[in-house]
Amino acid sequence: MKKEYDYEHTAHLVSKAQLGDKKAKDELCHRFRPLVYGLTRTAYETIDHEDMAQVLWIVFLESLADYDSSRGLPFAAYVKKRLSQAAVDYMRRHEVMLKHGGVKDEETKDRLLSGEIMVDGVRQNWYEMKQDELTEGEVEQLIAGLGLTSRQEEILHLRMKGYSWADIHGICHLSYKNVHKHKQNIRAIVMKNEIFRNYFA
């Protein structure tokens, strides 16, 4: 599911599309088409995948209109999060419908009752797979937009790669006191961002 995007060009297209440029909007739709249809590939055999895709396209276009680049989150990360949540919500509504006998047509209901098809198949759903919130490129762009010093950026990169604060002390040749000071300064800047919160527990 993870896909790297050309962030600068994507940001340029988003700006143009928000100003009404249809060509830019069409190109963004083309770029994010694999993401939209990837989210419809679930183990639910009773889902109308085209119907689900149409719902996700509406969310995509709403996200494009709502996106605010000043918040520092790359558009690709922002739209992936909103689309993923919309896909999960769609499947939850589908589950509720099935549990309450609300199957849309008798043929599907008969096939369910006979065991010919199942609500959930054997293939693992994308939303059950362990995956990073952001790609490496998205993390790079997000860190670059925080306004940290070069030393703070270095420390944050190391922390997000899984190094402990003790490791960082040795790698950066800093005293524990200085590492702690940098940690507190970085924490004050990034703690409002849910992506970074776990790294500063």
Side-chain angles (χ1 to χ4, degrees):
M1 184 76 70
K2 287 173 70 174
K3 179 179 174 64
E4 292 284 357
Y5 293 90
D6 178 343
Y7 303 111
E8 288 186 11
H9 188 50
T10 298
H12 178 66
L13 289 173
V14 169
S15 296
K16 289 178 69 175
Q18 288 180 327
L19 293 172
D21 188 317
K22 187 180 183 304
K23 189 174 178 182
K25 186 184 288 186
D26 289 345
E27 187 172 342
L28 284 168
C29 288
H30 177 72
R31 281 175 172 234
F32 287 91
R33 179 183 166 87
L35 172 63
V36 169
Y37 283 96
L39 290 170
T40 69
R41 289 197 295 271
T42 76
Y44 287 88
E45 298 180 52
T46 51
I47 279 180
D48 181 333
H49 299 288
E50 258 323 303
D51 183 60
M52 184 177 177
Q54 291 306 312
V55 169
L56 295 182
W57 277 122
I58 291 169
V59 173
F60 177 84
L61 293 173
E62 288 173 346
S63 300
L64 178 59
D66 295 342
Y67 176 68
D68 182 357
S69 60
S70 68
R71 294 181 181 174
L73 188 65
F75 177 75
Y78 170 77
V79 80
K80 278 194 283 187
K81 185 171 183 179
R82 287 196 58 176
L83 286 173
S84 296
Q85 186 59 58
V88 170
D89 289 345
Y90 186 97
M91 286 179 280
R92 284 176 181 156
R93 288 194 299 273
H94 184 74
E95 279 185 340
V96 169
M97 180 190 73
L98 291 175
K99 285 176 183 174
H100 288 82
V103 180
K104 291 180 182 178
D105 61 88
E106 286 301 315
E107 181 186 351
T108 302
K109 190 172 184 178
D110 290 343
R111 291 176 72 197
L112 275 169
L113 292 172
S114 69
E116 184 183 344
I117 60 174
M118 296 181 295
V119 174
D120 206 353
V122 295
R123 184 162 64 87
Q124 190 178 27
N125 287 305
W126 59 264
Y127 55 87
E128 298 169 321
M129 300 176 191
K130 186 175 176 63
Q131 55 185 320
D132 294 331
E133 185 84 13
L134 296 176
T135 63
E136 187 175 341
E138 289 163 351
V139 170
E140 291 288 330
Q141 188 181 19
L142 198 54
I143 290 175
L146 290 172
L148 302 174
T149 66
S150 57
R151 178 61 101 178
Q152 288 170 342
E153 283 193 10
E154 178 188 10
I155 289 170
L156 182 52
H157 276 111
L158 289 169
R159 181 64 178 151
M160 295 194 73
K161 286 178 181 176
Y163 290 101
S164 69
W165 295 109
D167 293 333
I168 293 170
H169 148 74
I171 294 168
C172 296
H173 307 290
L174 292 170
S175 68
Y176 284 110
K177 184 178 179 180
N178 277 339
V179 169
H180 179 73
K181 186 177 178 181
H182 280 302
K183 174 185 174 182
Q184 293 305 108
N185 289 339
I186 298 168
R187 180 188 174 96
I189 295 170
V190 305
M191 275 300 281
K192 292 180 182 178
N193 191 304
E194 61 184 293
I195 295 164
F196 293 114
R197 243 172 242 146
N198 292 336
Y199 296 94
F200 292 88

